[in-house]
Amino acid sequence: MRVLLAVTALVVVASAANVSVEDLEFDVWKQMFGKSYGSVEEESQRKMIWLDNRKLILEHNMLADQGLKSYRLGMNRFADMDNQEYQQMFKGCLGSFNKSEIESETTLLEEGAACPRKVDWRAKGYVTRVKDQSHCGSCWAFSATGALEGQMFKKKRKLVSLSEQQLVDCSQSFGNFGCQGGFMDKAFKYIKSSGGLETAYTYPYQAKEGRCKFRNQRAWAKCSGYKKVPCSERCLKNAVARIGPISVAIDVSRHSFQFYKSGVYNEPACSSTKVNHTVLVVGYGTNRRGKDYWLVKNRLFGVAELTSSFF
């Protein structure tokens, strides 16, 4: 019996020795994010991508540990996707901008008193919890509701989460496309024309397009108009300081954003013209190293985060 137990123990030890640290990490990661695959071949392919991304993230974080990077990356739910697949997820989130149209509609904000050195609208009650848009290209709707939530708090002194689903279901005639993308300005035009926007409680988010069920008597928020901020960080800073949270469009296509975890995001390769995602700027400030940053509220296909990015 003792001989049998000894042999069994040796077999177990030998089997365990064949399992690498990467194998164990991959299994833990799959459990953490509820990942499963249709075949052994698919899992093998996903694991290879996962290993490549793991290497990229480890190398980046080594630079962060040395103070050469201002932010850290992490093995999130996108870790088994290559960057092209990741970009396809939000390809239709934001419609194509017509630059001449934007410039013709831009209204310059008047210069006022000097802006405060630091602004954080979360601390003043203007910002709702971070939401999850799930697998629906509705980032434009979340950005629009975020800006309007702040303005309604300023007016009513009560913070209420507004309905992205109403915008997804009801604003197509104004040029939006539900889960296939849209625009913040067209969302504001719809809200103004329709008579208001319901709360997320009376018109909850479903992450898919449906029949418009808006009832005017249930509207909580009104929108009398909107203005576009010129493509200038000075003007954006002025707008954030004087008005509140502001809807903006950004480029999130890089690996660095795909795996962002913490810190002040600074990506030199980021495009200021080829934007593909909308977020909400809720403040700004300067870090201990003297670098200016924006406070950004983001939600992207299951990722809920508050990031900072350099000016």
Side-chain angles (χ1 to χ4, degrees), residues 27 48 71-72 74 95 111 123 128 131 134 141 154 157 186-187 202 207 243 247 274:
D27 287 339
M48 291 302 296
Y71 60 100
R72 299 183 67 81
E111 291 292 341
T128 58
K131 306 175 186 180
S134 190
K154 179 187 289 188
R157 310 314 295 179
K186 298 183 189 303
T202 62
I243 297 171
S247 296
K274 296 180 180 179

Side-chain angles (χ1 to χ4, degrees), residues 25-78:
E25 287 186 12
F26 184 60
D27 287 339
V28 169
W29 176 85
K30 285 194 300 179
Q31 293 179 31
M32 181 181 300
F33 293 102
K35 294 280 186 171
S36 61
Y37 305 103
S39 66
V40 174
E41 292 75 16
E42 182 186 2
E43 177 159 338
S44 177
Q45 180 185 11
R46 290 297 169 190
K47 185 177 179 181
M48 291 302 296
I49 296 172
W50 184 91
L51 287 169
D52 288 341
N53 289 331
R54 178 180 179 272
K55 180 181 178 183
L56 181 152
I57 290 167
L58 288 173
E59 290 175 349
H60 175 97
N61 289 343
M62 286 176 64
L63 295 176
D65 290 338
Q66 299 171 40
L68 301 176
K69 295 289 184 179
S70 58
Y71 60 100
R72 299 183 67 81
L73 305 182
M75 297 293 285
N76 58 25
R77 70 181 63 232
F78 304 131

Side-chain angles (χ1 to χ4, degrees), residues 3-273:
V3 174
L4 178 59
L5 288 174
V7 171
T8 303
L10 286 172
V11 171
V12 171
V13 171
S15 298
N18 292 327
V19 178
S20 67
V21 173
E22 291 83 0
D23 291 334
L24 293 173
E25 287 186 12
F26 184 60
D27 287 339
V28 169
W29 176 85
K30 285 194 300 179
Q31 293 179 31
M32 181 181 300
F33 293 102
K35 294 280 186 171
S36 61
Y37 305 103
S39 66
V40 174
E41 292 75 16
E42 182 186 2
E43 177 159 338
S44 177
Q45 180 185 11
R46 290 297 169 190
K47 185 177 179 181
M48 291 302 296
I49 296 172
W50 184 91
L51 287 169
D52 288 341
N53 289 331
R54 178 180 179 272
K55 180 181 178 183
L56 181 152
I57 290 167
L58 288 173
E59 290 175 349
H60 175 97
N61 289 343
M62 286 176 64
L63 295 176
D65 290 338
Q66 299 171 40
L68 301 176
K69 295 289 184 179
S70 58
Y71 60 100
R72 299 183 67 81
L73 305 182
M75 297 293 285
N76 58 25
R77 70 181 63 232
F78 304 131
D80 63 346
M81 294 183 183
D82 62 36
N83 188 249
Q84 290 301 313
E85 288 180 286
Y86 163 76
Q87 290 188 47
Q88 287 297 315
M89 291 181 64
F90 52 86
K91 186 176 180 180
C93 186
L94 182 64
S96 299
F97 279 108
N98 183 320
K99 188 175 181 182
S100 61
E101 177 186 352
I102 290 175
E103 290 176 345
S104 67
E105 291 188 8
T106 294
T107 300
L108 290 173
L109 293 168
E110 296 179 3
E111 291 292 341
C115 294
R117 295 178 61 185
K118 180 180 179 181
V119 170
D120 185 347
W121 289 111
R122 297 172 302 168
K124 298 181 181 296
Y126 278 60
V127 185
T128 58
R129 63 177 179 79
V130 181
K131 306 175 186 180
D132 181 357
Q133 73 183 68
S134 190
H135 291 271
C136 170
S138 55
C139 63
W140 56 275
F142 282 82
S143 183
T145 58
L148 190 54
E149 285 165 355
Q151 294 309 302
M152 292 307 299
F153 176 81
K154 179 187 289 188
K155 180 178 181 179
K156 297 188 177 184
R157 310 314 295 179
K158 187 174 182 180
L159 184 63
V160 174
S161 182
L162 298 176
S163 175
E164 293 82 20
Q165 191 64 43
Q166 181 183 333
L167 295 176
V168 170
D169 291 345
C170 307
S171 66
Q172 283 89 343
S173 62
F174 286 78
N176 290 324
F177 306 99
C179 285
Q180 306 307 310
F183 305 85
M184 299 88 82
D185 58 337
K186 298 183 189 303
F188 294 137
K189 286 179 181 178
Y190 159 75
I191 298 167
K192 179 180 179 180
S193 177
S194 69
L197 193 64
E198 291 189 41
T199 70
Y201 175 76
T202 62
Y203 203 141
Y205 188 62
Q206 303 296 323
K208 60 182 179 180
E209 298 168 37
R211 178 178 59 85
C212 181
K213 298 179 283 293
F214 170 59
R215 297 293 179 268
N216 191 274
Q217 62 270 26
R218 297 192 306 221
W220 167 264
K222 305 285 184 180
C223 177
S224 59
Y226 69 95
K227 295 187 183 301
K228 291 183 177 179
V229 181
C231 294
S232 157
E233 292 191 272
R234 178 182 59 81
C235 292
L236 178 58
K237 183 178 181 180
N238 189 34
V240 173
R242 293 176 54 198
I243 297 171
I246 302 292
S247 296
V248 300
I250 61 174
D251 172 21
V252 299
S253 61
R254 310 296 168 176
H255 276 108
S256 55
F257 201 95
Q258 180 178 350
F259 302 120
Y260 170 85
K261 183 177 181 181
S262 62
V264 181
Y265 182 70
N266 181 21
E267 176 54 80
C270 229
S271 173
S272 59
T273 56

